[in-house]
Amino acid sequence: MHSSFSLKNLLSHDLPRSRWLALLLSLSVLGLALLPFIFPSTKALNVAAKVLVFIVLVASYDLLLGYTGIVSFAHTMFFGIGAYGIAIASSRMGAGWPALATGWAAGLALSLLLSLVIGLFSLRVKAIFFAMITLAVASAFLTLASQLSDFTGGEDGLNFKLPAALQASTEYLEEPLLGVTIDGRLLSYYLLFFAVLGLVLLLLRIVNSPFGRVLQAIRENEFRAEAIGYRTVVYRTLSNVLAALFASSAGALLAIWLRYAGPDTAMSFEIMLDILLIVVIGGMGTIYGAVLGSLVFVLAQNYLQDLLRLGEGALQGVPLLSQLVSPDRWLLWLGILFVLAVYHFPSGIVGRLRLAAALRAHKQTATSAEVSSS
């Protein structure tokens, strides 16, 4: 009883409300926590780290789109600011924890300032105009990142060194544990894992607070929320600022993992499209959707080619089919998968599972009522 109560508090009383969803989330968290020991390959570790970074990035965007109803295209700009903050500080100050702390803080400060300015000046305009303004600002920043080569390394980006404790050459145990070398790289992964866990729990607390309820009221009917007495511009600006701070933190985590920051890895418009796809697949207006959506998307992005390679080998000699399942056509299959996902899960994976659980519960209640009345 006590453990369930503490879990409720930990999840800010936002329980999965579906047995299947609870199972999928538990498996996802356990899988990411134990992955270095289950799949001790470099590729698997890199994919898991990308999943972790995307969970925070997508959840922060969902705070804007899913909870407040704001469409912004500047999200990758804040993501990039966080990554460049770590990279610039580490390359200027040298490898060390003070450089990481300074870079993270500088990224957060710049993101706070920019999101506040964008929010105050732009959120008074209509939705489509706000989206266009954010797109223009993000494009300007991408150009700056490419051209200010003295600071950002230009198109090549910046490589930097991490503190000794996080370097792969630092080994903590003489013998491998369960076949895995306990080194700085593994420590980096768990630093990412626990940072993401903390940030997701913090986001759950925000969206389930009275502040989060006001954001949802603004999404449903802004005019009515204003009529009740809420200053919607203030709430929308705060939502914009919070989303930017979480995106900046995700960028910092990506830079720490890659030991690199560049315009393609942190600020490209392709990442923005990926975020939008993941929000739709996982389910808008739910933080859990970011977890499952990121997992499905990043796994498909990284392992679909391997699956197609197997398919091509099995169908060798079948003229048309072997060409269709060629690994070169993985983007086509990725597109088909997402069209099917959106068609069959219009409210996302989380929305569909919760709806199915609610319908099942309603049927059981109706059946038990019939039995008791007869």
Side-chain angles (χ1 to χ4, degrees), residues 60-71 123 206-207 211-222 232-240 242-243 285:
S60 65
Y61 189 70
D62 200 36
L63 180 67
L64 270 185
L65 183 65
Y67 283 91
T68 325
I70 297 170
V71 179
L123 284 169
I206 290 167
V207 297
F211 171 76
R213 300 277 179 250
V214 176
L215 294 185
Q216 290 169 61
I218 291 168
R219 178 195 68 199
E220 295 304 322
N221 193 322
E222 191 179 346
T232 55
V233 171
V234 173
Y235 280 91
R236 281 159 64 92
T237 304
L238 280 173
S239 171
N240 201 41
L242 284 169

PDB file of all heavy atoms in Angstrom, residues 60-71 123 206-207 211-222 232-240 242-243 285:
ATOM      1  N   SER A  60       9.500  17.877 -23.678  1.00  0.00           N
ATOM      2  CA  SER A  60       9.505  19.338 -23.516  1.00  0.00           C
ATOM      3  C   SER A  60       8.691  20.006 -24.625  1.00  0.00           C
ATOM      4  O   SER A  60       8.012  21.007 -24.398  1.00  0.00           O
ATOM      5  CB  SER A  60      10.940  19.880 -23.503  1.00  0.00           C
ATOM      6  OG  SER A  60      11.563  19.669 -24.753  1.00  0.00           O
ATOM      7  N   TYR A  61       8.745  19.436 -25.837  1.00  0.00           N
ATOM      8  CA  TYR A  61       7.951  20.000 -26.941  1.00  0.00           C
ATOM      9  C   TYR A  61       6.463  19.729 -26.730  1.00  0.00           C
ATOM     10  O   TYR A  61       5.612  20.547 -27.084  1.00  0.00           O
ATOM     11  CB  TYR A  61       8.408  19.439 -28.295  1.00  0.00           C
ATOM     12  CG  TYR A  61       7.758  20.154 -29.460  1.00  0.00           C
ATOM     13  CD1 TYR A  61       8.100  21.471 -29.752  1.00  0.00           C
ATOM     14  CD2 TYR A  61       6.796  19.545 -30.246  1.00  0.00           C
ATOM     15  CE1 TYR A  61       7.503  22.158 -30.801  1.00  0.00           C
ATOM     16  CE2 TYR A  61       6.190  20.219 -31.301  1.00  0.00           C
ATOM     17  CZ  TYR A  61       6.549  21.525 -31.570  1.00  0.00           C
ATOM     18  OH  TYR A  61       5.939  22.208 -32.594  1.00  0.00           O
ATOM     19  N   ASP A  62       6.164  18.581 -26.123  1.00  0.00           N
ATOM     20  CA  ASP A  62       4.766  18.239 -25.855  1.00  0.00           C
ATOM     21  C   ASP A  62       4.150  19.190 -24.825  1.00  0.00           C
ATOM     22  O   ASP A  62       2.950  19.429 -24.835  1.00  0.00           O
ATOM     23  CB  ASP A  62       4.659  16.794 -25.371  1.00  0.00           C
ATOM     24  CG  ASP A  62       3.252  16.247 -25.539  1.00  0.00           C
ATOM     25  OD1 ASP A  62       2.590  16.607 -26.534  1.00  0.00           O
ATOM     26  OD2 ASP A  62       2.786  15.487 -24.675  1.00  0.00           O
ATOM     27  N   LEU A  63       4.994  19.733 -23.944  1.00  0.00           N
ATOM     28  CA  LEU A  63       4.518  20.744 -22.991  1.00  0.00           C
ATOM     29  C   LEU A  63       3.957  21.942 -23.753  1.00  0.00           C
ATOM     30  O   LEU A  63       2.954  22.543 -23.353  1.00  0.00           O
ATOM     31  CB  LEU A  63       5.678  21.181 -22.087  1.00  0.00           C
ATOM     32  CG  LEU A  63       5.387  22.228 -21.013  1.00  0.00           C
ATOM     33  CD1 LEU A  63       4.444  21.681 -19.951  1.00  0.00           C
ATOM     34  CD2 LEU A  63       6.675  22.703 -20.357  1.00  0.00           C
ATOM     35  N   LEU A  64       4.584  22.274 -24.881  1.00  0.00           N
ATOM     36  CA  LEU A  64       4.120  23.374 -25.740  1.00  0.00           C
ATOM     37  C   LEU A  64       2.919  22.976 -26.583  1.00  0.00           C
ATOM     38  O   LEU A  64       1.870  23.602 -26.537  1.00  0.00           O
ATOM     39  CB  LEU A  64       5.241  23.803 -26.685  1.00  0.00           C
ATOM     40  CG  LEU A  64       6.224  24.879 -26.270  1.00  0.00           C
ATOM     41  CD1 LEU A  64       7.139  25.179 -27.432  1.00  0.00           C
ATOM     42  CD2 LEU A  64       5.532  26.144 -25.813  1.00  0.00           C
ATOM     43  N   LEU A  65       3.105  21.902 -27.373  1.00  0.00           N
ATOM     44  CA  LEU A  65       2.096  21.521 -28.362  1.00  0.00           C
ATOM     45  C   LEU A  65       0.919  20.770 -27.741  1.00  0.00           C
ATOM     46  O   LEU A  65      -0.239  21.127 -27.944  1.00  0.00           O
ATOM     47  CB  LEU A  65       2.744  20.663 -29.459  1.00  0.00           C
ATOM     48  CG  LEU A  65       1.847  20.237 -30.620  1.00  0.00           C
ATOM     49  CD1 LEU A  65       1.402  21.451 -31.428  1.00  0.00           C
ATOM     50  CD2 LEU A  65       2.566  19.257 -31.531  1.00  0.00           C
ATOM     51  N   GLY A  66       1.222  19.730 -26.978  1.00  0.00           N
ATOM     52  CA  GLY A  66       0.168  18.869 -26.431  1.00  0.00           C
ATOM     53  C   GLY A  66      -0.586  19.463 -25.265  1.00  0.00           C
ATOM     54  O   GLY A  66      -1.785  19.258 -25.127  1.00  0.00           O
ATOM     55  N   TYR A  67       0.125  20.214 -24.410  1.00  0.00           N
ATOM     56  CA  TYR A  67      -0.526  20.742 -23.200  1.00  0.00           C
ATOM     57  C   TYR A  67      -1.024  22.171 -23.347  1.00  0.00           C
ATOM     58  O   TYR A  67      -2.004  22.552 -22.725  1.00  0.00           O
ATOM     59  CB  TYR A  67       0.433  20.642 -21.998  1.00  0.00           C
ATOM     60  CG  TYR A  67       0.538  19.248 -21.456  1.00  0.00           C
ATOM     61  CD1 TYR A  67       1.509  18.372 -21.917  1.00  0.00           C
ATOM     62  CD2 TYR A  67      -0.357  18.773 -20.504  1.00  0.00           C
ATOM     63  CE1 TYR A  67       1.603  17.068 -21.440  1.00  0.00           C
ATOM     64  CE2 TYR A  67      -0.273  17.477 -20.013  1.00  0.00           C
ATOM     65  CZ  TYR A  67       0.702  16.636 -20.484  1.00  0.00           C
ATOM     66  OH  TYR A  67       0.772  15.340 -20.014  1.00  0.00           O
ATOM     67  N   THR A  68      -0.306  22.995 -24.142  1.00  0.00           N
ATOM     68  CA  THR A  68      -0.703  24.411 -24.257  1.00  0.00           C
ATOM     69  C   THR A  68      -1.294  24.739 -25.618  1.00  0.00           C
ATOM     70  O   THR A  68      -1.912  25.785 -25.787  1.00  0.00           O
ATOM     71  CB  THR A  68       0.518  25.334 -23.982  1.00  0.00           C
ATOM     72  OG1 THR A  68       1.338  24.738 -22.977  1.00  0.00           O
ATOM     73  CG2 THR A  68       0.091  26.697 -23.498  1.00  0.00           C
ATOM     74  N   GLY A  69      -1.079  23.859 -26.598  1.00  0.00           N
ATOM     75  CA  GLY A  69      -1.625  24.105 -27.939  1.00  0.00           C
ATOM     76  C   GLY A  69      -0.839  25.128 -28.730  1.00  0.00           C
ATOM     77  O   GLY A  69      -1.377  25.814 -29.601  1.00  0.00           O
ATOM     78  N   ILE A  70       0.485  25.261 -28.443  1.00  0.00           N
ATOM     79  CA  ILE A  70       1.339  26.218 -29.162  1.00  0.00           C
ATOM     80  C   ILE A  70       2.194  25.456 -30.185  1.00  0.00           C
ATOM     81  O   ILE A  70       2.864  24.491 -29.833  1.00  0.00           O
ATOM     82  CB  ILE A  70       2.284  26.971 -28.191  1.00  0.00           C
ATOM     83  CG1 ILE A  70       1.474  27.808 -27.195  1.00  0.00           C
ATOM     84  CG2 ILE A  70       3.266  27.853 -28.946  1.00  0.00           C
ATOM     85  CD1 ILE A  70       2.303  28.377 -26.055  1.00  0.00           C
ATOM     86  N   VAL A  71       2.167  25.905 -31.437  1.00  0.00           N
ATOM     87  CA  VAL A  71       3.026  25.308 -32.469  1.00  0.00           C
ATOM     88  C   VAL A  71       4.261  26.198 -32.619  1.00  0.00           C
ATOM     89  O   VAL A  71       4.150  27.367 -32.955  1.00  0.00           O
ATOM     90  CB  VAL A  71       2.285  25.189 -33.829  1.00  0.00           C
ATOM     91  CG1 VAL A  71       3.202  24.585 -34.885  1.00  0.00           C
ATOM     92  CG2 VAL A  71       1.023  24.363 -33.676  1.00  0.00           C
ATOM     93  N   LEU A 123       3.663  35.771 -28.677  1.00  0.00           N
ATOM     94  CA  LEU A 123       2.511  34.960 -28.276  1.00  0.00           C
ATOM     95  C   LEU A 123       1.184  35.724 -28.299  1.00  0.00           C
ATOM     96  O   LEU A 123       0.130  35.142 -28.113  1.00  0.00           O
ATOM     97  CB  LEU A 123       2.746  34.322 -26.907  1.00  0.00           C
ATOM     98  CG  LEU A 123       3.700  33.125 -26.936  1.00  0.00           C
ATOM     99  CD1 LEU A 123       4.091  32.716 -25.534  1.00  0.00           C
ATOM    100  CD2 LEU A 123       3.101  31.946 -27.663  1.00  0.00           C
ATOM    101  N   ILE A 206       5.127  19.176 -13.270  1.00  0.00           N
ATOM    102  CA  ILE A 206       4.682  20.458 -13.839  1.00  0.00           C
ATOM    103  C   ILE A 206       3.306  20.320 -14.497  1.00  0.00           C
ATOM    104  O   ILE A 206       2.402  21.110 -14.236  1.00  0.00           O
ATOM    105  CB  ILE A 206       5.724  21.007 -14.844  1.00  0.00           C
ATOM    106  CG1 ILE A 206       6.983  21.472 -14.105  1.00  0.00           C
ATOM    107  CG2 ILE A 206       5.142  22.174 -15.663  1.00  0.00           C
ATOM    108  CD1 ILE A 206       8.179  21.740 -15.003  1.00  0.00           C
ATOM    109  N   VAL A 207       3.154  19.283 -15.358  1.00  0.00           N
ATOM    110  CA  VAL A 207       1.892  19.173 -16.118  1.00  0.00           C
ATOM    111  C   VAL A 207       0.711  18.748 -15.237  1.00  0.00           C
ATOM    112  O   VAL A 207      -0.440  18.967 -15.595  1.00  0.00           O
ATOM    113  CB  VAL A 207       2.017  18.226 -17.338  1.00  0.00           C
ATOM    114  CG1 VAL A 207       3.028  18.756 -18.329  1.00  0.00           C
ATOM    115  CG2 VAL A 207       2.338  16.796 -16.935  1.00  0.00           C
ATOM    116  N   PHE A 211      -0.727  24.755 -12.348  1.00  0.00           N
ATOM    117  CA  PHE A 211      -0.196  25.473 -13.516  1.00  0.00           C
ATOM    118  C   PHE A 211      -0.457  24.660 -14.796  1.00  0.00           C
ATOM    119  O   PHE A 211      -0.905  25.201 -15.806  1.00  0.00           O
ATOM    120  CB  PHE A 211       1.311  25.700 -13.321  1.00  0.00           C
ATOM    121  CG  PHE A 211       2.023  26.229 -14.543  1.00  0.00           C
ATOM    122  CD1 PHE A 211       1.906  27.550 -14.920  1.00  0.00           C
ATOM    123  CD2 PHE A 211       2.813  25.377 -15.323  1.00  0.00           C
ATOM    124  CE1 PHE A 211       2.559  28.039 -16.057  1.00  0.00           C
ATOM    125  CE2 PHE A 211       3.465  25.845 -16.459  1.00  0.00           C
ATOM    126  CZ  PHE A 211       3.342  27.183 -16.812  1.00  0.00           C
ATOM    127  N   GLY A 212      -0.187  23.349 -14.720  1.00  0.00           N
ATOM    128  CA  GLY A 212      -0.418  22.474 -15.870  1.00  0.00           C
ATOM    129  C   GLY A 212      -1.886  22.408 -16.260  1.00  0.00           C
ATOM    130  O   GLY A 212      -2.225  22.338 -17.448  1.00  0.00           O
ATOM    131  N   ARG A 213      -2.769  22.432 -15.265  1.00  0.00           N
ATOM    132  CA  ARG A 213      -4.223  22.398 -15.538  1.00  0.00           C
ATOM    133  C   ARG A 213      -4.658  23.666 -16.285  1.00  0.00           C
ATOM    134  O   ARG A 213      -5.514  23.614 -17.168  1.00  0.00           O
ATOM    135  CB  ARG A 213      -5.017  22.281 -14.227  1.00  0.00           C
ATOM    136  CG  ARG A 213      -4.702  21.041 -13.421  1.00  0.00           C
ATOM    137  CD  ARG A 213      -5.464  19.824 -13.896  1.00  0.00           C
ATOM    138  NE  ARG A 213      -5.122  18.649 -13.133  1.00  0.00           N
ATOM    139  CZ  ARG A 213      -4.430  17.626 -13.589  1.00  0.00           C
ATOM    140  NH1 ARG A 213      -3.998  17.624 -14.831  1.00  0.00           N
ATOM    141  NH2 ARG A 213      -4.162  16.584 -12.834  1.00  0.00           N
ATOM    142  N   VAL A 214      -4.042  24.808 -15.923  1.00  0.00           N
ATOM    143  CA  VAL A 214      -4.366  26.070 -16.614  1.00  0.00           C
ATOM    144  C   VAL A 214      -3.900  26.001 -18.069  1.00  0.00           C
ATOM    145  O   VAL A 214      -4.612  26.434 -18.972  1.00  0.00           O
ATOM    146  CB  VAL A 214      -3.727  27.296 -15.897  1.00  0.00           C
ATOM    147  CG1 VAL A 214      -3.988  28.575 -16.673  1.00  0.00           C
ATOM    148  CG2 VAL A 214      -4.266  27.427 -14.478  1.00  0.00           C
ATOM    149  N   LEU A 215      -2.730  25.417 -18.293  1.00  0.00           N
ATOM    150  CA  LEU A 215      -2.223  25.263 -19.669  1.00  0.00           C
ATOM    151  C   LEU A 215      -3.205  24.450 -20.507  1.00  0.00           C
ATOM    152  O   LEU A 215      -3.488  24.792 -21.659  1.00  0.00           O
ATOM    153  CB  LEU A 215      -0.857  24.569 -19.675  1.00  0.00           C
ATOM    154  CG  LEU A 215       0.335  25.305 -19.056  1.00  0.00           C
ATOM    155  CD1 LEU A 215       1.619  24.517 -19.267  1.00  0.00           C
ATOM    156  CD2 LEU A 215       0.495  26.713 -19.624  1.00  0.00           C
ATOM    157  N   GLN A 216      -3.739  23.361 -19.914  1.00  0.00           N
ATOM    158  CA  GLN A 216      -4.704  22.525 -20.637  1.00  0.00           C
ATOM    159  C   GLN A 216      -6.009  23.279 -20.900  1.00  0.00           C
ATOM    160  O   GLN A 216      -6.635  23.100 -21.946  1.00  0.00           O
ATOM    161  CB  GLN A 216      -4.973  21.242 -19.855  1.00  0.00           C
ATOM    162  CG  GLN A 216      -3.761  20.314 -19.863  1.00  0.00           C
ATOM    163  CD  GLN A 216      -3.904  19.162 -18.885  1.00  0.00           C
ATOM    164  OE1 GLN A 216      -4.807  18.348 -18.993  1.00  0.00           O
ATOM    165  NE2 GLN A 216      -3.012  19.101 -17.913  1.00  0.00           N
ATOM    166  N   ALA A 217      -6.394  24.129 -19.944  1.00  0.00           N
ATOM    167  CA  ALA A 217      -7.608  24.954 -20.133  1.00  0.00           C
ATOM    168  C   ALA A 217      -7.402  25.933 -21.287  1.00  0.00           C
ATOM    169  O   ALA A 217      -8.309  26.150 -22.101  1.00  0.00           O
ATOM    170  CB  ALA A 217      -7.919  25.710 -18.844  1.00  0.00           C
ATOM    171  N   ILE A 218      -6.192  26.499 -21.389  1.00  0.00           N
ATOM    172  CA  ILE A 218      -5.860  27.430 -22.486  1.00  0.00           C
ATOM    173  C   ILE A 218      -5.910  26.680 -23.824  1.00  0.00           C
ATOM    174  O   ILE A 218      -6.418  27.199 -24.821  1.00  0.00           O
ATOM    175  CB  ILE A 218      -4.472  28.078 -22.258  1.00  0.00           C
ATOM    176  CG1 ILE A 218      -4.525  29.044 -21.072  1.00  0.00           C
ATOM    177  CG2 ILE A 218      -3.980  28.811 -23.509  1.00  0.00           C
ATOM    178  CD1 ILE A 218      -3.169  29.511 -20.573  1.00  0.00           C
ATOM    179  N   ARG A 219      -5.389  25.450 -23.817  1.00  0.00           N
ATOM    180  CA  ARG A 219      -5.411  24.640 -25.051  1.00  0.00           C
ATOM    181  C   ARG A 219      -6.843  24.371 -25.511  1.00  0.00           C
ATOM    182  O   ARG A 219      -7.158  24.474 -26.688  1.00  0.00           O
ATOM    183  CB  ARG A 219      -4.691  23.308 -24.785  1.00  0.00           C
ATOM    184  CG  ARG A 219      -4.684  22.348 -25.963  1.00  0.00           C
ATOM    185  CD  ARG A 219      -4.289  20.953 -25.508  1.00  0.00           C
ATOM    186  NE  ARG A 219      -5.310  20.363 -24.651  1.00  0.00           N
ATOM    187  CZ  ARG A 219      -5.096  19.340 -23.834  1.00  0.00           C
ATOM    188  NH1 ARG A 219      -3.903  18.799 -23.748  1.00  0.00           N
ATOM    189  NH2 ARG A 219      -6.075  18.856 -23.088  1.00  0.00           N
ATOM    190  N   GLU A 220      -7.719  24.046 -24.558  1.00  0.00           N
ATOM    191  CA  GLU A 220      -9.105  23.700 -24.895  1.00  0.00           C
ATOM    192  C   GLU A 220      -9.904  24.925 -25.344  1.00  0.00           C
ATOM    193  O   GLU A 220     -10.644  24.867 -26.310  1.00  0.00           O
ATOM    194  CB  GLU A 220      -9.803  23.036 -23.688  1.00  0.00           C
ATOM    195  CG  GLU A 220      -9.222  21.688 -23.285  1.00  0.00           C
ATOM    196  CD  GLU A 220      -9.203  20.681 -24.416  1.00  0.00           C
ATOM    197  OE1 GLU A 220     -10.154  20.650 -25.221  1.00  0.00           O
ATOM    198  OE2 GLU A 220      -8.216  19.923 -24.519  1.00  0.00           O
ATOM    199  N   ASN A 221      -9.755  26.037 -24.599  1.00  0.00           N
ATOM    200  CA  ASN A 221     -10.512  27.247 -24.937  1.00  0.00           C
ATOM    201  C   ASN A 221      -9.852  28.457 -24.281  1.00  0.00           C
ATOM    202  O   ASN A 221     -10.082  28.746 -23.109  1.00  0.00           O
ATOM    203  CB  ASN A 221     -11.966  27.111 -24.457  1.00  0.00           C
ATOM    204  CG  ASN A 221     -12.856  28.177 -25.055  1.00  0.00           C
ATOM    205  OD1 ASN A 221     -12.451  29.325 -25.212  1.00  0.00           O
ATOM    206  ND2 ASN A 221     -14.086  27.802 -25.394  1.00  0.00           N
ATOM    207  N   GLU A 222      -9.028  29.136 -25.068  1.00  0.00           N
ATOM    208  CA  GLU A 222      -8.257  30.262 -24.523  1.00  0.00           C
ATOM    209  C   GLU A 222      -9.165  31.405 -24.070  1.00  0.00           C
ATOM    210  O   GLU A 222      -8.939  32.019 -23.028  1.00  0.00           O
ATOM    211  CB  GLU A 222      -7.266  30.769 -25.579  1.00  0.00           C
ATOM    212  CG  GLU A 222      -6.266  31.741 -25.010  1.00  0.00           C
ATOM    213  CD  GLU A 222      -5.248  32.236 -26.025  1.00  0.00           C
ATOM    214  OE1 GLU A 222      -5.136  31.632 -27.109  1.00  0.00           O
ATOM    215  OE2 GLU A 222      -4.585  33.240 -25.727  1.00  0.00           O
ATOM    216  N   THR A 232      -3.682  34.670 -19.882  1.00  0.00           N
ATOM    217  CA  THR A 232      -3.209  33.587 -20.753  1.00  0.00           C
ATOM    218  C   THR A 232      -1.838  33.873 -21.365  1.00  0.00           C
ATOM    219  O   THR A 232      -1.047  32.950 -21.545  1.00  0.00           O
ATOM    220  CB  THR A 232      -4.226  33.305 -21.881  1.00  0.00           C
ATOM    221  OG1 THR A 232      -4.474  34.512 -22.585  1.00  0.00           O
ATOM    222  CG2 THR A 232      -5.515  32.743 -21.331  1.00  0.00           C
ATOM    223  N   VAL A 233      -1.530  35.137 -21.651  1.00  0.00           N
ATOM    224  CA  VAL A 233      -0.216  35.472 -22.243  1.00  0.00           C
ATOM    225  C   VAL A 233       0.905  35.096 -21.279  1.00  0.00           C
ATOM    226  O   VAL A 233       1.939  34.557 -21.686  1.00  0.00           O
ATOM    227  CB  VAL A 233      -0.143  36.981 -22.609  1.00  0.00           C
ATOM    228  CG1 VAL A 233       1.275  37.375 -22.999  1.00  0.00           C
ATOM    229  CG2 VAL A 233      -1.094  37.288 -23.748  1.00  0.00           C
ATOM    230  N   VAL A 234       0.683  35.334 -19.981  1.00  0.00           N
ATOM    231  CA  VAL A 234       1.691  34.997 -18.960  1.00  0.00           C
ATOM    232  C   VAL A 234       1.916  33.491 -18.915  1.00  0.00           C
ATOM    233  O   VAL A 234       3.055  33.006 -18.911  1.00  0.00           O
ATOM    234  CB  VAL A 234       1.257  35.518 -17.566  1.00  0.00           C
ATOM    235  CG1 VAL A 234       2.203  35.024 -16.475  1.00  0.00           C
ATOM    236  CG2 VAL A 234       1.198  37.047 -17.575  1.00  0.00           C
ATOM    237  N   TYR A 235       0.815  32.731 -18.892  1.00  0.00           N
ATOM    238  CA  TYR A 235       0.910  31.269 -18.827  1.00  0.00           C
ATOM    239  C   TYR A 235       1.548  30.691 -20.085  1.00  0.00           C
ATOM    240  O   TYR A 235       2.373  29.772 -20.012  1.00  0.00           O
ATOM    241  CB  TYR A 235      -0.471  30.648 -18.603  1.00  0.00           C
ATOM    242  CG  TYR A 235      -0.908  30.703 -17.158  1.00  0.00           C
ATOM    243  CD1 TYR A 235      -1.648  31.781 -16.664  1.00  0.00           C
ATOM    244  CD2 TYR A 235      -0.554  29.688 -16.270  1.00  0.00           C
ATOM    245  CE1 TYR A 235      -2.027  31.842 -15.331  1.00  0.00           C
ATOM    246  CE2 TYR A 235      -0.938  29.735 -14.936  1.00  0.00           C
ATOM    247  CZ  TYR A 235      -1.675  30.810 -14.473  1.00  0.00           C
ATOM    248  OH  TYR A 235      -2.047  30.861 -13.146  1.00  0.00           O
ATOM    249  N   ARG A 236       1.170  31.225 -21.244  1.00  0.00           N
ATOM    250  CA  ARG A 236       1.741  30.733 -22.510  1.00  0.00           C
ATOM    251  C   ARG A 236       3.239  31.061 -22.591  1.00  0.00           C
ATOM    252  O   ARG A 236       4.039  30.245 -23.065  1.00  0.00           O
ATOM    253  CB  ARG A 236       0.994  31.357 -23.700  1.00  0.00           C
ATOM    254  CG  ARG A 236      -0.347  30.678 -23.979  1.00  0.00           C
ATOM    255  CD  ARG A 236      -1.267  31.585 -24.784  1.00  0.00           C
ATOM    256  NE  ARG A 236      -0.742  31.880 -26.106  1.00  0.00           N
ATOM    257  CZ  ARG A 236      -1.015  31.165 -27.201  1.00  0.00           C
ATOM    258  NH1 ARG A 236      -1.795  30.112 -27.117  1.00  0.00           N
ATOM    259  NH2 ARG A 236      -0.523  31.503 -28.368  1.00  0.00           N
ATOM    260  N   THR A 237       3.616  32.238 -22.096  1.00  0.00           N
ATOM    261  CA  THR A 237       5.037  32.622 -22.084  1.00  0.00           C
ATOM    262  C   THR A 237       5.829  31.714 -21.148  1.00  0.00           C
ATOM    263  O   THR A 237       6.919  31.252 -21.487  1.00  0.00           O
ATOM    264  CB  THR A 237       5.202  34.102 -21.652  1.00  0.00           C
ATOM    265  OG1 THR A 237       4.424  34.923 -22.520  1.00  0.00           O
ATOM    266  CG2 THR A 237       6.658  34.537 -21.710  1.00  0.00           C
ATOM    267  N   LEU A 238       5.263  31.431 -19.965  1.00  0.00           N
ATOM    268  CA  LEU A 238       5.928  30.538 -19.004  1.00  0.00           C
ATOM    269  C   LEU A 238       6.090  29.137 -19.584  1.00  0.00           C
ATOM    270  O   LEU A 238       7.109  28.483 -19.389  1.00  0.00           O
ATOM    271  CB  LEU A 238       5.141  30.477 -17.693  1.00  0.00           C
ATOM    272  CG  LEU A 238       5.346  31.643 -16.735  1.00  0.00           C
ATOM    273  CD1 LEU A 238       4.384  31.554 -15.560  1.00  0.00           C
ATOM    274  CD2 LEU A 238       6.783  31.647 -16.201  1.00  0.00           C
ATOM    275  N   SER A 239       5.076  28.674 -20.301  1.00  0.00           N
ATOM    276  CA  SER A 239       5.129  27.359 -20.949  1.00  0.00           C
ATOM    277  C   SER A 239       6.255  27.340 -21.981  1.00  0.00           C
ATOM    278  O   SER A 239       7.022  26.371 -22.072  1.00  0.00           O
ATOM    279  CB  SER A 239       3.788  27.063 -21.620  1.00  0.00           C
ATOM    280  OG  SER A 239       3.871  25.907 -22.422  1.00  0.00           O
ATOM    281  N   ASN A 240       6.370  28.416 -22.743  1.00  0.00           N
ATOM    282  CA  ASN A 240       7.422  28.566 -23.755  1.00  0.00           C
ATOM    283  C   ASN A 240       8.809  28.532 -23.107  1.00  0.00           C
ATOM    284  O   ASN A 240       9.726  27.874 -23.608  1.00  0.00           O
ATOM    285  CB  ASN A 240       7.205  29.902 -24.486  1.00  0.00           C
ATOM    286  CG  ASN A 240       7.884  29.933 -25.839  1.00  0.00           C
ATOM    287  OD1 ASN A 240       7.866  28.973 -26.590  1.00  0.00           O
ATOM    288  ND2 ASN A 240       8.516  31.060 -26.144  1.00  0.00           N
ATOM    289  N   LEU A 242       9.652  27.260 -20.054  1.00  0.00           N
ATOM    290  CA  LEU A 242       9.933  25.942 -19.467  1.00  0.00           C
ATOM    291  C   LEU A 242      10.325  24.927 -20.540  1.00  0.00           C
ATOM    292  O   LEU A 242      11.271  24.167 -20.373  1.00  0.00           O
ATOM    293  CB  LEU A 242       8.706  25.429 -18.692  1.00  0.00           C
ATOM    294  CG  LEU A 242       8.462  26.067 -17.328  1.00  0.00           C
ATOM    295  CD1 LEU A 242       7.089  25.676 -16.797  1.00  0.00           C
ATOM    296  CD2 LEU A 242       9.539  25.635 -16.332  1.00  0.00           C
ATOM    297  N   ALA A 243       9.589  24.937 -21.656  1.00  0.00           N
ATOM    298  CA  ALA A 243       9.893  24.014 -22.761  1.00  0.00           C
ATOM    299  C   ALA A 243      11.304  24.266 -23.287  1.00  0.00           C
ATOM    300  O   ALA A 243      12.055  23.323 -23.574  1.00  0.00           O
ATOM    301  CB  ALA A 243       8.873  24.185 -23.883  1.00  0.00           C
ATOM    302  N   GLY A 285      -0.141  15.547 -25.551  1.00  0.00           N
ATOM    303  CA  GLY A 285      -0.715  15.858 -24.242  1.00  0.00           C
ATOM    304  C   GLY A 285      -0.494  14.751 -23.227  1.00  0.00           C
ATOM    305  O   GLY A 285      -1.287  14.560 -22.316  1.00  0.00           O
TER     306      GLY A 285
END
